[in-house]
Amino acid sequence: MASKTDRSSPTAQKLRKEVGKYLKALRQQKDLTQVAVSQALDYKYFTFVAQIEQGKSRVPPEDWGRWARLYGVDPETFGRRLLKHYDPHVYEICFMTGKKDLKDERC
C-alpha cells in the first residue's frame, strides 16, 4: 500500500509543486534564467531546472547546498524547506514533535 507521500501520490505531487514555486521565486529574485542555473550547476539540460520548478522532478540532495549558495540563501534553511516538501516523514522525525519545531535538536 502506497503512503500519501509516495512520490507518485497527489500529496507528494502537490508538495513538489509548492517547493518548485519557491525555487522559481528564488531564481527570479536573483534575475537568473533556467539556462543560467543549469549552467552554474553543471546540468546538461536546462529542462531539468524547468522540471524541478514545475514539480515534476526533485533537486538531487547532493546538490541542495549548491542551489542554496547560488540563490544566496542559508543552506540549512534551504535544506529543511526541501526536506519538508520532498520527504515530510523524515522532516517530522528530525525536526518536529507533533506541531512543535525542535530548533535546538539535530538529526
Side-chain angles (χ1 to χ4, degrees), residues 7-69:
R7 287 186 180 187
S8 62
S9 76
T11 300
Q13 291 172 9
K14 179 180 179 248
L15 290 170
R16 280 196 314 273
K17 285 182 181 182
E18 287 174 7
V19 82
K21 288 179 185 178
Y22 165 71
L23 294 168
K24 182 177 181 178
L26 289 176
R27 176 179 58 78
Q28 291 174 333
Q29 287 173 9
K30 287 293 185 180
D31 200 28
L32 295 169
T33 64
Q34 291 173 341
V35 172
V37 171
S38 67
Q39 290 172 341
L41 297 171
D42 297 320
Y43 294 141
K44 191 172 182 178
Y45 303 104
F46 80 92
T47 53
F48 183 54
V49 175
Q51 291 171 343
I52 290 168
E53 290 181 358
Q54 294 166 7
K56 295 178 181 175
S57 293
R58 298 164 38 134
V59 176
E62 63 272 15
D63 291 343
W64 290 6
R66 294 179 349 142
W67 280 68
R69 286 186 295 280

Side-chain angles (χ1 to χ4, degrees), residues 66-100:
R66 294 179 349 142
W67 280 68
R69 286 186 295 280
L70 179 64
Y71 289 156
V73 296
D74 175 64
E76 181 180 349
T77 302
F78 184 83
R80 282 187 185 212
R81 184 142 189 187
L82 267 60
L83 184 62
K84 185 175 183 177
H85 286 82
Y86 289 159
D87 204 336
H89 296 297
V90 172
Y91 178 87
E92 187 166 332
I93 289 168
C94 292
F95 303 111
M96 305 287 286
T97 301
K99 299 287 182 190
K100 182 180 174 190

